[in-house]
């Protein structure tokens, strides 16, 4: 467990958190999934699944991710599947700290980069990720379903294994979701 301040604890996500984090997920920009999806991440990549908790036990936010790709092609990377902080706890540095921890887990696994997808319209999040050292690698057309569908930015941050920073050289043209490996 890691104390962020006298008010916050960053700790591994636990199964019973699944029944306590719905309020955090109410944000319309937060992607939500079914319980089996969360359980799969918790079982396969527990080191990538963390929660920020208040002294009263309230979930302030969480991050979930995974390691994926092929090392031979320098595509082995950490991926941020979801990051969310409840509105009343934003601008306290929680997202930055959870991202930093995920990046460190990825470094320890010798990943070449960390990537994430974010709605093009979510300017606050895009700007935050840029401040954390991420850059737009490519645009993925109609990645988020809705009415209408919305494009996503695939944002990346090179890690120390990518000495030449090849993983973050932007693609000159957008791709479709089916073109993503």
């Amino acid at each position: 467990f890691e104390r962020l301040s006298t008010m916050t604890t960053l700790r591994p996500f636990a199964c019973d958190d699944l029944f306590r984090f719905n309020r955090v997920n109410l944000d319309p920009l937060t992607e939500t999934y079914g319980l089996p999806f969360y359980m799969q991440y918790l079982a396969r990549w527990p080191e990538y699944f963390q929660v920020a908790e208040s002294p009263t036990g309230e979930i302030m936010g969480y991050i979930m991710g995974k390691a994926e790709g092929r090392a031979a092609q320098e595509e082995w990377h950490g991926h941020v599947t979801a990051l969310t902080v409840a509105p009343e706890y934003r601008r306290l540095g929680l997202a930055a700290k959870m991202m930093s921890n995920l990046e460190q887990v990825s470094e320890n696994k010798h990943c070449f980069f960390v990537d994430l997808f974010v709605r093009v319209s979510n300017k606050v999040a895009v700007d935050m990720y840029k401040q954390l050292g991420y850059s737009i690698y490519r645009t993925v057309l109609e990645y988020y379903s809705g009415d209408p569908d919305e494009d996503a930015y695939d944002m990346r941050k090179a890690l120390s294994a990518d000495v030449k920073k090849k993983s973050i050289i932007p693609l000159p043209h957008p791709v479709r979701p089916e073109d993503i490996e």
Side-chain angles (χ1 to χ4, degrees):
F1 294 6
E2 180 178 352
R3 284 236 179 265
L4 294 178
S5 69
T6 56
M7 298 176 26
T8 307
T9 300
L10 196 59
R11 62 167 176 77
F13 199 92
C15 282
D16 64 341
D17 291 327
L18 291 168
F19 304 106
R20 303 185 320 120
F21 77 155
N22 280 342
R23 196 185 60 70
V24 177
N25 276 347
L26 292 176
D27 184 325
L29 293 175
T30 297
E31 293 301 309
T32 56
Y33 309 94
L35 284 178
F37 189 82
Y38 293 106
M39 292 298 291
Q40 175 190 14
Y41 271 73
L42 192 54
R44 290 190 63 190
W45 304 283
E47 67 278 16
Y48 278 99
F49 209 160
Q50 294 191 314
V51 64
E53 186 177 63
S54 75
T56 61
E58 185 176 12
I59 293 181
M60 304 163 75
Y62 69 89
I63 190 167
M64 62 187 270
K66 61 184 175 180
E68 63 183 359
R70 296 180 301 273
Q73 284 85 16
E74 298 185 6
E75 294 171 2
W76 178 245
H77 66 280
H79 175 72
V80 180
T81 303
L83 169 65
T84 190
V85 174
E88 63 270 29
Y89 297 114
R90 291 184 183 153
R91 302 206 177 281
L92 299 176
L94 295 177
K97 183 60 181 166
M98 290 188 286
M99 287 294 293
S100 175
N101 284 0
L102 186 140
E103 292 163 10
Q104 189 56 55
V105 169
S106 299
E107 281 281 5
N108 294 345
K109 291 181 175 290
H110 309 290
C111 292
F112 289 88
F113 60 92
V114 171
D115 79 342
L116 58 92
F117 296 94
V118 61
R119 291 176 186 273
V120 168
S121 66
N122 192 348
K123 184 170 173 17
V124 171
V126 170
D127 289 345
M128 179 195 72
Y129 292 126
K130 285 180 177 178
Q131 286 182 333
L132 296 176
Y134 287 77
S135 58
I136 297 170
Y137 173 69
R138 61 186 168 184
T139 301
V140 183
L141 301 173
E142 300 176 338
Y143 180 80
Y144 292 102
S145 57
D147 188 20
D149 290 345
E150 187 173 349
D151 298 347
Y153 288 137
D154 176 354
M155 298 186 75
R156 293 184 175 188
K157 181 177 184 177
L159 299 177
S160 61
D162 184 5
V163 177
K164 296 183 179 176
K165 311 289 184 228
K166 293 190 293 185
S167 66
I168 61 170
I169 298 170
L171 292 185
H173 53 81
V175 299
R176 302 206 58 80
E178 57 269 18
D179 300 327
I180 301 172
E181 292 185 21

